[in-house]
Amino acid sequence: MDDPFVIVENQVKQGLESADNLFSSWRRIQQTVKSPTNQELLWTADELTSTLDAVEQDLDDLDEALAAAKANPNQFHLGTDLMHQRQAFISRSRNMVQSMRNTLANPPSRRANQEDGGASSSYAAYRSEQVNSRYMEDEQQQQQVLFQQQDQHLDAMAGTLVNLKGIAGTMHQEIDDHVILLDELGDHVDQTDSRLKRAMHRVTDILRKEEESKSGYCICCLILVLIILLVLVIIL
């Protein structure tokens, strides 16, 4: 999830860039036209004022977010250096907005503009250096935010891996317990099978002995009958 401060901060940067372009156009027009009621000059001033108003609203939101972060630093996981950098960005942006508003409220005369014409290149160089410096600071701030987010994601992943390791250890222990139970069950089955085999052998022996004893009884009966018949034949 993106940091809300960074999202609004990017909006402020875009607004300041648009305001800076409008301010440059307003200065150029103000230097060239003779009437302060020139339509193009008034339109540019209105657009610049609207843009500055929008930037100030975003800066108010950033102030509220930063105040909440300062009140609960542990909740937002923001370091002191990062909060100082964000406060510096807000202050620097407000100074730029106020500088443009002051110039709009008290525009320099054409004579002053002509006298300042030789210094315009110096101002442009200073302006470029200021923009580059702000860009580097903002990039550094965004990188720190990304690093912090990556650290949080890595910490969360580490916690998840620890939990998975614990679950795997528990599953391994349960599997070992089940293997032991299965081994014991196998032993019981083998013992039962041996007992069943011995019982079957005993039953088979008993049946065989009974069959043999029955055959002997039949033979004895037949011999006895045969003797009786012989005796009867002899007597008769």
Side-chain angles (χ1 to χ4, degrees), residues 164-179:
L164 290 175
K165 182 179 179 181
I167 294 172
T170 303
M171 293 177 62
H172 179 72
Q173 184 63 39
E174 291 180 353
I175 290 173
D176 290 340
D177 294 339
H178 286 303
V179 169

Side-chain angles (χ1 to χ4, degrees), residues 6-7 23 37 48 51-52 60 87-90 107 110 125 137 140-141 167 170 193 201 229-230:
V6 176
I7 296 175
F23 183 70
T37 59
L48 178 57
T51 303
L52 294 177
D60 291 338
Q87 184 63 59
F89 171 78
I90 295 173
R110 294 189 61 195
E137 291 178 359
Q140 183 179 4
Q141 179 180 354
I167 294 172
T170 303
D193 184 63
H201 284 303
L229 291 175
L230 288 175

Side-chain angles (χ1 to χ4, degrees), residues 29 33-43:
I29 297 171
V33 300
K34 296 181 179 180
S35 173
T37 59
N38 180 272
Q39 292 297 321
E40 185 179 4
L41 181 64
L42 294 177
W43 180 87

Side-chain angles (χ1 to χ4, degrees), residues 185-224:
L185 180 61
D187 294 338
H188 289 307
V189 170
D190 292 338
Q191 293 175 2
T192 304
D193 184 63
S194 298
R195 292 176 182 175
L196 287 174
K197 286 181 179 180
R198 288 197 298 269
M200 289 298 294
H201 284 303
R202 290 177 183 177
V203 171
T204 303
D205 292 339
I206 292 171
L207 292 175
R208 181 175 54 79
K209 288 179 180 179
E210 288 182 355
E211 289 178 356
E212 290 178 354
S213 62
K214 288 180 180 179
S215 299
Y217 291 148
C218 291
I219 292 172
C220 290
C221 291
L222 290 174
I223 292 173
L224 180 60

Side-chain angles (χ1 to χ4, degrees), residues 70-122:
K70 288 181 179 179
N72 299 289
N74 295 329
Q75 179 181 357
F76 295 94
H77 305 289
L78 295 178
T80 304
D81 293 339
L82 183 58
M83 286 193 288
H84 286 331
Q85 290 180 3
R86 292 185 172 184
Q87 184 63 59
F89 171 78
I90 295 173
S91 300
R92 184 171 60 250
S93 300
R94 287 194 182 278
N95 291 335
M96 294 176 63
V97 171
Q98 190 60 42
S99 176
M100 294 181 191
R101 286 192 183 279
N102 292 338
T103 305
L104 282 176
N106 300 292
S109 62
R110 294 189 61 195
R111 180 178 179 183
N113 290 334
Q114 292 175 357
E115 291 176 354
D116 292 341
S120 60
S121 59
S122 299

